[in-house]
Amino acid sequence: MMVDDMAATTEVARSAYAAELFDVEAIRRGIIEHAREGYSSYRIYQTMPFDLAQELPTQRLLVWLKAEGFQVAWQPTCEPGDPYRPLTAFEYPELEIFW
C-alpha cells in the first residue's frame, strides 16, 4: 500500500535529519563553544518541526551525554504558524543540554 511506503519514507527522512542534527562530534564542539562564550547550556535549534526524541541517532547522543555527565531537557517549541490560520501551529520538542 502506498501509505506504508510514505510512512517508511517519512521515517527514513526523519532519521537522516536526526543523524545530521544530533551528530555527537558536532554537539561536542557546540558545547565547548557555548561554554567558552560563558553559557551553561546549549539548545539544539531545529529547522524542521519534528519530534526526534525517539530516533536512533538521538538516543545515541543521549547515551553519550549521560555518560559525560550532562543534563538534558526537551523544551516545547511552537512552530511558527500561518498568521491567517493561527490554529495550524503546533508544538514539537527541541533538545537543550545543561552543565
Side-chain angles (χ1 to χ4, degrees):
M1 292 180 67
M2 185 173 177
V3 72
D4 295 331
D5 291 341
M6 294 304 94
T9 300
T10 296
E11 180 55 35
V12 167
R14 288 183 181 193
S15 184
Y17 180 53
E20 177 185 323
L21 190 66
F22 296 128
D23 175 70
V24 172
E25 183 57 28
I27 298 299
R28 185 188 72 77
R29 287 192 308 268
I31 289 170
I32 291 168
E33 182 179 320
H34 272 67
R36 286 181 177 156
E37 292 173 357
Y39 293 100
S40 60
S41 69
Y42 177 42
R43 183 165 178 165
I44 313 305
Y45 292 100
Q46 298 177 204
T47 58
M48 298 180 166
F50 304 140
D51 181 349
L52 302 174
Q54 301 307 313
E55 297 296 331
L56 185 58
T58 309
Q59 293 303 309
R60 287 187 191 128
L61 174 63
L62 293 175
V63 167
W64 178 80
L65 290 167
K66 182 177 181 181
E68 294 296 325
F70 292 100
Q71 301 292 319
V72 300
W74 288 98
Q75 304 295 351
T77 305
C78 289
E79 177 190 29
D82 182 339
Y84 299 106
R85 297 178 7 210
L87 297 179
T88 61
F90 64 95
E91 284 189 354
Y92 63 96
E94 286 185 334
L95 182 64
E96 188 164 8
I97 304 161
F98 301 91
W99 55 89

